[in-house]
Amino acid sequence: MTATLPEQPVLSYTRTIDRGLVHRDSLGEVFLTDLQPVSGTAYAAAAQLPRSHAYYGDHLLRPSTYDPVLLLEACRQSALAGAHAFYAVPEDHKFILTHLRIHLERPERIAVGPEPCALTLRVTVTGHRKRDGRTTGLDYDIDLVAKGVGIGSASVGLRFKSPEDYQELRLRNREGKPLSSSAAYPATRPGSTIAPYLVGRSNADNVVLADVVSEADAARATLRVPGDHPSMFDHPQDHLPGMVIAEAARQLALFAALDVRGMSPSRTFPTDLAVVFSRFGELEHTTLLTAEVGEQRRADRDGTGAYYTQGGLVELGEADPGGVDQLPVHIGATQNGESLCVLSLSLTRVRAHR
């Protein structure tokens, strides 16, 4: 459980923070608008979520709801910015993701409305690694609040390396081979890219899966490296970013839910996504993703006063109360037979009984 934080400061949503603090080249990819200390191990961050975005807004879900991967990106940015602002991590240091997790309890609170979503992130540092007086790693628990109501939680793990130490580590991992760059990867890659609607997308540019197949309760695919994508590769990378692998897992989970369990991507929302990374994903190696689909289960109402349905919000006490179908999906990502990471998702379909 995330620790209860002291009284929160007033946060501003008038402009984005310095893009260097969140390691972004494009201002359009910066979602944090403020950062304020709370205590020795806690701080608060503000993020404005865009109602329309070529990548994060490209979904078939109706009614339209803010992308959980967008919320996870806001959490990642809050962790990076806090490391620089409050823990003296130099801006030129490289960061390494160890884990990411997001759990959404109130998705009805993040339906896209007439105004951009003002998100509050209440961040607690739960682990602080040091060496020779320098911060080398931070682990974070994050509470997510929208319009004064808690909507879920997240956690992020980061490790930090100086440019020299990072270069040494990467070359050692690659047995001395020079680093690749995503800038060298064309938009079109070998393999048969899956149709966008099968993974809940409208725009094929946002699809990162190829050669997708399913059998029994499993599905597998290879990851397409979209090296020129303005969001997934905001700037050139020498490895597969963790957020790109998370996106691939989300797409494979949606495909598996449709193909194996008949859950439409337009009615299916990821309410849980967790990933633990074990090694770098190399750009030039084929990345294989394998999904195992669990048994669909029914979750009853949780006493929050409402159900989130594809037709909108169903308040308790109405004649047509809703139920929630949840589908667990476990995914492994490998290169050359070695694990890059393991991921787990919970896909939720909320519907009203009649």
Side-chain angles (χ1 to χ4, degrees), residues 151-179:
I151 61 169
S153 60
S155 63
V156 179
L158 294 177
R159 302 296 179 259
F160 308 100
K161 294 283 187 182
S162 69
E164 298 76 19
D165 288 345
Y166 178 81
Q167 180 83 355
E168 180 182 348
L169 172 65
R170 291 290 288 121
L171 289 176
R172 187 167 63 248
N173 289 344
R174 293 172 57 84
E175 299 179 343
K177 295 178 182 177
L179 300 185

Short mmCIF file of all heavy atoms in Angstrom, two decimals, residues 151-179:
data_model
loop_
_atom_site.label_atom_id
_atom_site.label_comp_id
_atom_site.label_asym_id
_atom_site.label_seq_id
_atom_site.Cartn_x
_atom_site.Cartn_y
_atom_site.Cartn_z
N ILE A 151 -7.99 7.72 -8.56
CA ILE A 151 -8.41 6.86 -9.66
C ILE A 151 -7.56 5.61 -9.79
O ILE A 151 -7.90 4.69 -10.54
CB ILE A 151 -8.39 7.63 -11.00
CG1 ILE A 151 -6.97 8.10 -11.34
CG2 ILE A 151 -9.37 8.78 -10.99
CD1 ILE A 151 -6.81 8.62 -12.75
N GLY A 152 -6.43 5.56 -9.07
CA GLY A 152 -5.57 4.39 -9.18
C GLY A 152 -4.20 4.66 -8.62
O GLY A 152 -3.96 5.67 -7.92
N SER A 153 -3.28 3.76 -8.91
CA SER A 153 -1.92 3.86 -8.39
C SER A 153 -0.94 3.33 -9.42
O SER A 153 -1.33 2.64 -10.38
CB SER A 153 -1.79 3.09 -7.08
OG SER A 153 -2.09 1.71 -7.29
N ALA A 154 0.33 3.65 -9.20
CA ALA A 154 1.37 3.20 -10.11
C ALA A 154 2.67 3.04 -9.33
O ALA A 154 2.80 3.52 -8.20
CB ALA A 154 1.56 4.19 -11.26
N SER A 155 3.61 2.36 -9.93
CA SER A 155 4.96 2.30 -9.37
C SER A 155 5.96 2.28 -10.51
O SER A 155 5.68 1.77 -11.60
CB SER A 155 5.13 1.07 -8.47
OG SER A 155 4.99 -0.12 -9.20
N VAL A 156 7.13 2.86 -10.24
CA VAL A 156 8.19 2.99 -11.25
C VAL A 156 9.52 2.71 -10.57
O VAL A 156 9.75 3.16 -9.43
CB VAL A 156 8.22 4.40 -11.87
CG1 VAL A 156 9.35 4.53 -12.90
CG2 VAL A 156 6.88 4.75 -12.51
N GLY A 157 10.39 1.98 -11.24
CA GLY A 157 11.75 1.77 -10.75
C GLY A 157 12.75 2.30 -11.75
O GLY A 157 12.66 1.98 -12.95
N LEU A 158 13.71 3.14 -11.30
CA LEU A 158 14.71 3.72 -12.17
C LEU A 158 16.11 3.50 -11.60
O LEU A 158 16.30 3.57 -10.38
CB LEU A 158 14.49 5.23 -12.34
CG LEU A 158 13.24 5.71 -13.07
CD1 LEU A 158 13.19 7.24 -13.05
CD2 LEU A 158 13.21 5.20 -14.49
N ARG A 159 17.06 3.24 -12.48
CA ARG A 159 18.46 3.23 -12.11
C ARG A 159 19.18 4.23 -13.01
O ARG A 159 18.78 4.42 -14.17
CB ARG A 159 19.07 1.83 -12.26
CG ARG A 159 18.36 0.76 -11.43
CD ARG A 159 18.48 1.00 -9.94
NE ARG A 159 17.76 -0.01 -9.17
CZ ARG A 159 16.57 0.18 -8.63
NH1 ARG A 159 15.94 1.34 -8.80
NH2 ARG A 159 16.00 -0.77 -7.92
N PHE A 160 20.23 4.86 -12.49
CA PHE A 160 20.88 5.96 -13.20
C PHE A 160 22.35 5.64 -13.44
O PHE A 160 23.04 5.11 -12.57
CB PHE A 160 20.75 7.25 -12.39
CG PHE A 160 19.34 7.57 -11.99
CD1 PHE A 160 18.88 7.28 -10.72
CD2 PHE A 160 18.44 8.10 -12.91
CE1 PHE A 160 17.57 7.55 -10.36
CE2 PHE A 160 17.13 8.36 -12.57
CZ PHE A 160 16.69 8.09 -11.28
N LYS A 161 22.81 6.00 -14.65
CA LYS A 161 24.21 5.78 -15.03
C LYS A 161 24.76 7.05 -15.67
O LYS A 161 24.06 7.70 -16.46
CB LYS A 161 24.32 4.63 -16.05
CG LYS A 161 23.94 3.26 -15.53
CD LYS A 161 25.03 2.66 -14.68
CE LYS A 161 24.72 1.22 -14.30
NZ LYS A 161 25.77 0.64 -13.43
N SER A 162 26.00 7.36 -15.37
CA SER A 162 26.67 8.44 -16.10
C SER A 162 26.82 8.02 -17.54
O SER A 162 26.79 6.82 -17.86
CB SER A 162 28.03 8.72 -15.49
OG SER A 162 28.92 7.63 -15.74
N PRO A 163 26.98 8.96 -18.48
CA PRO A 163 27.14 8.57 -19.89
C PRO A 163 28.28 7.58 -20.10
O PRO A 163 28.15 6.64 -20.90
CB PRO A 163 27.43 9.91 -20.59
CG PRO A 163 26.75 10.93 -19.73
CD PRO A 163 26.92 10.42 -18.32
N GLU A 164 29.38 7.75 -19.35
CA GLU A 164 30.52 6.85 -19.51
C GLU A 164 30.20 5.45 -18.98
O GLU A 164 30.51 4.43 -19.63
CB GLU A 164 31.74 7.41 -18.78
CG GLU A 164 32.23 8.75 -19.29
CD GLU A 164 31.36 9.92 -18.85
OE1 GLU A 164 30.60 9.76 -17.86
OE2 GLU A 164 31.45 10.99 -19.50
N ASP A 165 29.58 5.39 -17.80
CA ASP A 165 29.24 4.09 -17.23
C ASP A 165 28.17 3.38 -18.07
O ASP A 165 28.19 2.15 -18.22
CB ASP A 165 28.74 4.26 -15.80
CG ASP A 165 29.85 4.62 -14.84
OD1 ASP A 165 31.03 4.47 -15.20
OD2 ASP A 165 29.55 5.06 -13.71
N TYR A 166 27.24 4.16 -18.60
CA TYR A 166 26.20 3.57 -19.45
C TYR A 166 26.81 2.97 -20.71
O TYR A 166 26.47 1.85 -21.11
CB TYR A 166 25.17 4.63 -19.81
CG TYR A 166 24.08 4.12 -20.73
CD1 TYR A 166 22.99 3.40 -20.23
CD2 TYR A 166 24.13 4.36 -22.10
CE1 TYR A 166 22.00 2.93 -21.07
CE2 TYR A 166 23.14 3.89 -22.95
CZ TYR A 166 22.08 3.18 -22.42
OH TYR A 166 21.10 2.71 -23.27
N GLN A 167 27.71 3.71 -21.36
CA GLN A 167 28.36 3.22 -22.57
C GLN A 167 29.13 1.93 -22.28
O GLN A 167 29.05 0.97 -23.06
CB GLN A 167 29.32 4.29 -23.11
CG GLN A 167 30.07 3.90 -24.37
CD GLN A 167 29.26 4.13 -25.63
OE1 GLN A 167 28.09 4.51 -25.56
NE2 GLN A 167 29.88 3.91 -26.78
N GLU A 168 29.81 1.90 -21.17
CA GLU A 168 30.57 0.70 -20.80
C GLU A 168 29.64 -0.48 -20.58
O GLU A 168 29.91 -1.61 -21.03
CB GLU A 168 31.39 0.97 -19.54
CG GLU A 168 32.21 -0.22 -19.07
CD GLU A 168 32.98 0.07 -17.79
OE1 GLU A 168 33.05 1.26 -17.39
OE2 GLU A 168 33.49 -0.90 -17.19
N LEU A 169 28.53 -0.24 -19.88
CA LEU A 169 27.55 -1.30 -19.63
C LEU A 169 26.96 -1.83 -20.93
O LEU A 169 26.88 -3.06 -21.13
CB LEU A 169 26.44 -0.76 -18.73
CG LEU A 169 25.23 -1.69 -18.52
CD1 LEU A 169 25.64 -2.95 -17.77
CD2 LEU A 169 24.11 -0.94 -17.79
N ARG A 170 26.57 -0.94 -21.82
CA ARG A 170 25.93 -1.38 -23.06
C ARG A 170 26.90 -2.15 -23.95
O ARG A 170 26.53 -3.17 -24.55
CB ARG A 170 25.37 -0.16 -23.80
CG ARG A 170 24.20 0.50 -23.11
CD ARG A 170 22.94 -0.37 -23.14
NE ARG A 170 22.37 -0.40 -24.49
CZ ARG A 170 22.20 -1.52 -25.19
NH1 ARG A 170 22.57 -2.68 -24.70
NH2 ARG A 170 21.68 -1.46 -26.40
N LEU A 171 28.13 -1.69 -24.03
CA LEU A 171 29.12 -2.40 -24.86
C LEU A 171 29.43 -3.77 -24.27
O LEU A 171 29.63 -4.75 -25.01
CB LEU A 171 30.39 -1.57 -24.99
CG LEU A 171 30.28 -0.31 -25.85
CD1 LEU A 171 31.58 0.48 -25.82
CD2 LEU A 171 29.92 -0.68 -27.30
N ARG A 172 29.45 -3.84 -22.95
CA ARG A 172 29.68 -5.14 -22.30
C ARG A 172 28.54 -6.09 -22.60
O ARG A 172 28.74 -7.28 -22.89
CB ARG A 172 29.86 -4.94 -20.80
CG ARG A 172 30.26 -6.22 -20.07
CD ARG A 172 30.74 -5.93 -18.65
NE ARG A 172 29.70 -5.34 -17.82
CZ ARG A 172 29.72 -4.09 -17.37
NH1 ARG A 172 30.73 -3.29 -17.68
NH2 ARG A 172 28.75 -3.64 -16.60
N ASN A 173 27.30 -5.58 -22.56
CA ASN A 173 26.14 -6.42 -22.88
C ASN A 173 26.17 -6.90 -24.32
O ASN A 173 25.65 -7.98 -24.63
CB ASN A 173 24.84 -5.63 -22.65
CG ASN A 173 24.54 -5.39 -21.18
OD1 ASN A 173 25.11 -6.04 -20.32
ND2 ASN A 173 23.66 -4.44 -20.89
N ARG A 174 26.75 -6.09 -25.19
CA ARG A 174 26.76 -6.40 -26.63
C ARG A 174 28.08 -7.02 -27.07
O ARG A 174 28.37 -7.10 -28.25
CB ARG A 174 26.49 -5.12 -27.42
CG ARG A 174 25.08 -4.58 -27.23
CD ARG A 174 24.93 -3.21 -27.86
NE ARG A 174 25.26 -3.20 -29.28
CZ ARG A 174 24.43 -3.54 -30.25
NH1 ARG A 174 23.20 -3.95 -29.96
NH2 ARG A 174 24.81 -3.50 -31.51
N GLU A 175 28.89 -7.44 -26.10
CA GLU A 175 30.18 -8.08 -26.39
C GLU A 175 31.04 -7.20 -27.29
O GLU A 175 31.71 -7.68 -28.20
CB GLU A 175 29.96 -9.46 -27.01
CG GLU A 175 29.20 -10.41 -26.10
CD GLU A 175 28.97 -11.77 -26.73
OE1 GLU A 175 29.09 -11.87 -27.98
OE2 GLU A 175 28.68 -12.72 -25.99
N GLY A 176 30.99 -5.90 -27.02
CA GLY A 176 31.85 -4.95 -27.72
C GLY A 176 31.32 -4.45 -29.05
O GLY A 176 31.93 -3.56 -29.66
N LYS A 177 30.17 -4.96 -29.51
CA LYS A 177 29.62 -4.50 -30.79
C LYS A 177 29.12 -3.07 -30.66
O LYS A 177 28.50 -2.72 -29.65
CB LYS A 177 28.48 -5.41 -31.23
CG LYS A 177 28.92 -6.84 -31.53
CD LYS A 177 27.73 -7.70 -31.92
CE LYS A 177 28.15 -9.15 -32.16
NZ LYS A 177 26.97 -10.00 -32.47
N PRO A 178 29.34 -2.22 -31.65
CA PRO A 178 28.87 -0.82 -31.59
C PRO A 178 27.36 -0.75 -31.37
O PRO A 178 26.61 -1.63 -31.81
CB PRO A 178 29.26 -0.25 -32.96
CG PRO A 178 30.36 -1.15 -33.45
CD PRO A 178 30.06 -2.50 -32.90
N LEU A 179 26.92 0.30 -30.70
CA LEU A 179 25.50 0.47 -30.42
C LEU A 179 24.73 0.81 -31.70
O LEU A 179 25.23 1.56 -32.55
CB LEU A 179 25.30 1.58 -29.39
CG LEU A 179 25.96 1.39 -28.03
CD1 LEU A 179 25.55 2.51 -27.09
CD2 LEU A 179 25.62 0.05 -27.43
#
